[in-house]
Amino acid sequence: MALTIFILRLAVCILAFPMYLLDFLGLWNWICKKSLPYFLARFTVMYNKQMASKKQELFSNLQEFAGPSGKLSLLELGCGTGPNFKFYPPGCRVTCIDPNPNFEKFLIKSIAENRHLQFEHFLVAAGEDLHQVADDSMDVVVCTLVLCSVKNQERILQEVCRVLRPGGAFYFMEHVAAKPSTWNYFWQQVLNPVWYLLFDGCNLTRESWKALERARFSKVVSL
């Protein structure tokens, strides 16, 4: 099986040689950062339709974590084009963080389409360093399809715990490595090297649940 994976992975890498050449020349990162927001602006529309019921279920009790003022302070890590905005409760105060500044114009469009929210800030930063966000300042932190591509999962979860107020909540939705000995896992192994480069560091084979279990959350609940 390992030999088959190696041969197929090599074939895929050969097909993707132009992309690897651009990466070697130092051009691919710039191209990826510029083009990815356009792709995700289209992809997230389809993804939201397919995952609408799951997202509604996930975010159904967000308002329960609002502070004494009744206003919910929410920090979204890796906000992208803002596909989660429609699922947030009215009056929610949203701060967005993403390391790619090219998402900003798409984010502005999403904000205009979701007038029920109160937009606070868009910060260009990596989730591993949230020094611009004060300790214990957020009721909720949201992170969807982000832990697959961060450089240090443990560090980003430490930052989540730091900025959450006592009794706050971390909401996440991630794709992870499939069960070994399944076809999904087989193809994840084959495609991962090219996928990682093509989608700006996205890793198909991460076992993100392990990092979440190691983090110092009082309780982890999966849907």
Side-chain angles (χ1 to χ4, degrees):
M1 184 66 75
L3 179 60
T4 303
I5 290 173
F6 174 77
I7 293 171
L8 288 173
R9 184 182 286 179
L10 181 62
V12 172
C13 289
I14 290 171
L15 291 173
F17 175 75
M19 185 171 63
Y20 280 98
L21 179 60
L22 289 170
D23 187 53
F24 175 77
L25 295 174
L27 299 173
W28 178 251
N29 186 60
W30 181 86
I31 294 171
C32 187
K33 295 290 187 188
K34 284 286 188 180
S35 61
L36 189 61
Y38 290 92
F39 168 77
L40 289 181
R42 293 178 177 273
F43 170 78
T44 53
V45 173
M46 297 182 292
Y47 182 78
N48 263 357
K49 288 180 180 178
Q50 292 182 340
M51 298 296 291
S53 61
K54 290 291 186 183
K55 285 193 174 186
Q56 287 166 356
E57 181 183 7
L58 176 65
F59 297 128
S60 62
N61 66 336
L62 276 175
Q63 191 58 40
E64 295 177 11
F65 293 95
S69 67
K71 293 280 190 178
L72 181 72
S73 294
L74 183 150
L75 173 67
E76 181 164 355
L77 305 180
C79 58
T81 60
N84 292 326
F85 289 175
K86 62 188 291 185
F87 302 100
Y88 296 159
C92 178
R93 296 181 298 197
V94 180
T95 299
C96 297
I97 288 184
D98 201 287
N100 188 346
N102 297 298
F103 277 115
E104 185 170 13
K105 73 174 184 178
F106 297 92
L107 200 59
I108 291 171
K109 181 176 181 292
S110 291
I111 292 166
E113 294 170 350
N114 291 276
R115 296 292 186 181
H116 66 290
L117 303 178
Q118 181 180 332
F119 180 70
E120 298 286 300
H121 307 288
F122 172 57
L123 305 174
V124 178
E128 292 90 342
D129 182 9
L130 304 178
H131 70 273
Q132 300 173 81
V133 184
D135 295 3
D136 305 329
S137 60
M138 293 292 162
D139 300 314
V140 167
V141 176
V142 172
C143 175
T144 60
L145 304 182
V146 172
L147 293 179
C148 57
S149 59
V150 298
K151 293 180 179 178
N152 189 323
Q153 291 183 328
E154 282 72 20
R155 179 57 187 160
I156 196 171
L157 292 173
Q158 288 172 4
E159 284 289 81
V160 168
C161 291
R162 179 184 66 79
V163 303
L164 275 175
R165 64 165 176 78
F170 175 51
Y171 285 73
F172 61 91
M173 178 182 286
E174 296 294 331
H175 68 80
V176 295
K179 292 181 180 180
S181 302
T182 63
W183 280 111
N184 281 347
Y185 187 72
F186 173 84
W187 286 110
Q188 283 177 338
Q189 295 286 319
V190 170
L191 296 173
N192 193 57
V194 170
W195 190 276
Y196 180 87
L197 192 60
L198 182 62
F199 291 106
D200 199 19
C202 178
N203 195 317
L204 291 174
T205 58
R206 276 195 174 167
E207 299 174 334
S208 298
W209 67 86
K210 293 182 178 180
L212 288 161
E213 290 170 351
R214 288 193 298 267
R216 54 188 181 90
F217 297 112
S218 59
K219 181 170 63 175
V220 178
V221 179
S222 60
L223 297 178

